[in-house]
């Protein structure tokens, strides 16, 4: 009996370690030296909403992926290894959203919100003012929350019953008010 329980307990402990580490990280929002600031309406680290694509390439190198969506007037640069995903207006080259994504927890807002934290925590931190709009995009399996007046957005997984459900996987900044007239936020951006 003892030999059967030991492997089961070891496996359970291995499964709980990441959850315990995540819970500790969520309860301790103190800045860390490697933190990259997410500044609403302005920038993520050195990448700003006022930069041109060429300036970003000079800082981050060539993007690992470039996608064009002419039907939505979007050009997307993806630096997956760095966690950056930037969208531009295809017609003008102007930045739409400077975003970060994935599970890299070193990106942090002024109120201590990081990737992989529960969306509810971000909602408590930022409230429902500031041009708050929420879109539950079931087809895309995301919940998108934008603060138009701040120039800040959060995307969280919408996958009920899964551990990732309600966790933020994308943080983005944009010029305050610039996305207000875009219509349905549930169109994948």
């Amino acid at each position: 009996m003892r030999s059967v329980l030991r492997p089961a307990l070891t496996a359970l402990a291995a499964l709980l370690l990441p959850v315990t580490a995540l819970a500790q990280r969520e309860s301790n929002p103190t800045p860390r030296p490697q933190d990259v600031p997410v500044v609403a309406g302005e920038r993520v680290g050195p990448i700003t909403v006022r930069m041109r694509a060429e300036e970003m390439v000079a800082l981050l190198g060539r993007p690992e992926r470039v996608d064009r969506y002419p039907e939505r007037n979007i050009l997307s640069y993806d630096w997956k290894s760095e966690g950056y995903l930037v969208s531009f207006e295809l017609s003008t080259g102007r930045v739409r959203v400077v975003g970060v994504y994935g599970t890299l927890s070193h990106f942090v807002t002024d109120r201590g919100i990081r990737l992989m934290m529960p969306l509810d925590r971000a909602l408590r931190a930022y409230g429902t003012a500031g041009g708050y709009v929420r879109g539950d995009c079931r087809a895309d399996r995301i919940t998108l929350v934008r603060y138009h007046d701040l120039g800040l957005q959060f995307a969280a997984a919408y996958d009920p019953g899964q551990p990732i459900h309600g966790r933020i996987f994308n943080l983005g900044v944009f010029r305050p008010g610039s996305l207000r007239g875009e219509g349905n936020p549930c169109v994948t951006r």
Side-chain angles (χ1 to χ4, degrees), residues 6 13 20 27-28 38 47-48 51 54 58 66 81 116 121 138 141 146 155 161-162 176 178 189:
R6 181 166 283 150
T20 304
S27 65
N28 183 14
V38 175
I47 306 300
T48 75
M51 293 175 94
E54 302 80 34
V66 176
S81 60
M116 299 313 296
R121 181 160 177 175
R138 304 286 165 87
R141 294 170 51 175
R146 283 191 176 147
Q162 299 301 314
S178 65
R189 305 252 180 235

Side-chain angles (χ1 to χ4, degrees), residues 38-41 44 85-87 96-101 109 113-115 119 122-123 126 130-133 142-156 168-175 178-180 182 185 187-189:
V38 175
V39 182
V44 178
L85 180 64
V86 180
S87 66
R96 290 181 63 261
V97 178
V98 174
V100 292
Y101 69 100
T109 71
I113 304 303
R114 299 175 185 274
L115 293 170
L119 180 60
L123 295 175
Y126 288 93
Y132 168 87
V133 174
I142 66 169
T143 296
L144 181 65
V145 171
R146 283 191 176 147
Y147 293 91
H148 287 284
D149 298 345
L150 300 176
L152 181 65
Q153 73 179 23
F154 302 98
I168 298 168
F169 67 87
N170 178 285
L171 298 170
V173 299
F174 52 91
R175 288 180 182 89
S178 65
L179 302 181
R180 196 179 301 273
E182 285 199 349
V187 175
T188 305
R189 305 252 180 235

Side-chain angles (χ1 to χ4, degrees), residues 35-50:
D35 281 348
V36 177
V38 175
V39 182
E42 294 181 24
R43 66 187 176 91
V44 178
I47 306 300
T48 75
V49 298
R50 306 248 180 249

